[in-house]
Amino acid sequence: MPELKGPTEVIWDLTYACPLRCVHCYSESGRRPARQPKLGAMHRIADAIISLNPPAVALAGGEPLVNKHVFEVAQRLTEAGILVVLYTSAWSFRPSMVPLAQKSFGRVAVSVDAPTAELHDRIRGHAGSYQRAMTALSLLDAAAGQAIAEGRPPLPFGIDSVVMRSNFDLIELLCTSMAARFPRMSLISFNAAAPAGLAS
């Protein structure tokens, strides 16, 4: 009988709270109770995940950065040798979070669904969401440049995009424009809209 192994990745939706109203939201975040556990409960959840020994944990939501314990929990997982990936719209991202992100995460993926503010903001349901994503990516790109100049490994970062009818024809432009704008970006990932929640 083959040996049973743990999961290859755990996705932990830290909260259903979210400032955005994305048309494809699988969890209908921002439209339901936030359901954020207290810190003690989050430590117990983190320890349960650690006991499974997954290579990677994705912190998502909702918007994980609205959970005030996100960095502490991420550091707990990181110290256990787990790659922690943050998936964020970057709406709540601030310059002061850059050093915390460098300590807490092994990778940061910022949601960008279109190469233009008009379409991205329409998909994400909030004016200004594109600009906030671009600001966060600029901060991460600058921090990566500084790390490289100082001989340190940079925090890998990039964009995560949901492919749907409204942006399908712009995916190539999205890739080329983001790669040119953020030269130290190390990832571009794509997901199909899952037929769940609002995307159903």
Side-chain angles (χ1 to χ4, degrees):
M1 179 174 253
E3 180 184 346
L4 294 175
K5 296 183 179 179
T8 57
E9 182 180 25
V10 172
I11 301 171
W12 183 0
D13 288 346
L14 290 179
T15 179
Y16 291 134
C18 187
L20 304 185
R21 298 293 180 267
C22 304
V23 298
H24 57 281
C25 185
Y26 66 90
S27 65
E28 300 184 30
S29 294
R31 302 164 178 86
R32 58 195 297 184
R35 296 181 60 188
Q36 296 182 62
K38 294 182 179 176
L39 181 58
M42 292 183 74
H43 281 180
R44 290 191 294 275
I45 295 168
D47 290 342
I49 292 171
I50 290 167
S51 72
L52 297 173
N53 197 31
V57 172
L59 299 182
E63 173 48 63
L65 289 179
V66 304
N67 187 308
K68 62 183 178 181
H69 304 303
V70 61
F71 295 105
E72 183 176 342
V73 168
Q75 287 175 31
R76 192 179 188 96
L77 295 166
T78 296
E79 288 166 5
I82 297 170
L83 173 70
V84 180
V85 183
L86 174 72
Y87 287 89
T88 178
S89 70
W91 181 269
S92 304
F93 197 87
R94 300 292 177 265
S96 61
M97 293 179 175
V98 172
L100 289 169
Q102 291 171 317
K103 280 176 44 179
S104 307
F105 308 121
R107 191 162 63 227
V108 174
V110 177
S111 298
V112 180
D113 289 329
T116 66
E118 180 185 7
L119 180 55
H120 175 89
D121 289 357
R122 190 165 76 237
I123 291 171
R124 292 280 158 179
H126 205 308
S129 59
Y130 179 84
Q131 187 53 54
R132 292 208 185 193
M134 295 303 103
T135 298
L137 288 165
S138 295
L139 290 167
L140 293 167
D141 193 63
Q146 182 177 353
I148 293 166
E150 295 172 357
R152 296 182 288 110
L155 172 63
F157 75 95
I159 66 168
D160 178 70
S161 187
V162 178
V163 180
M164 58 198 93
R165 288 186 186 94
S166 61
N167 67 0
F168 183 82
D169 292 335
L170 297 170
I171 294 301
E172 183 177 354
L173 179 59
L174 175 64
C175 292
T176 56
S177 62
M178 293 298 112
R181 188 167 181 175
F182 307 109
R184 299 171 192 91
M185 183 172 65
S186 58
L187 69 105
I188 299 177
S189 63
F190 296 98
N191 297 285
L198 297 178
S200 65

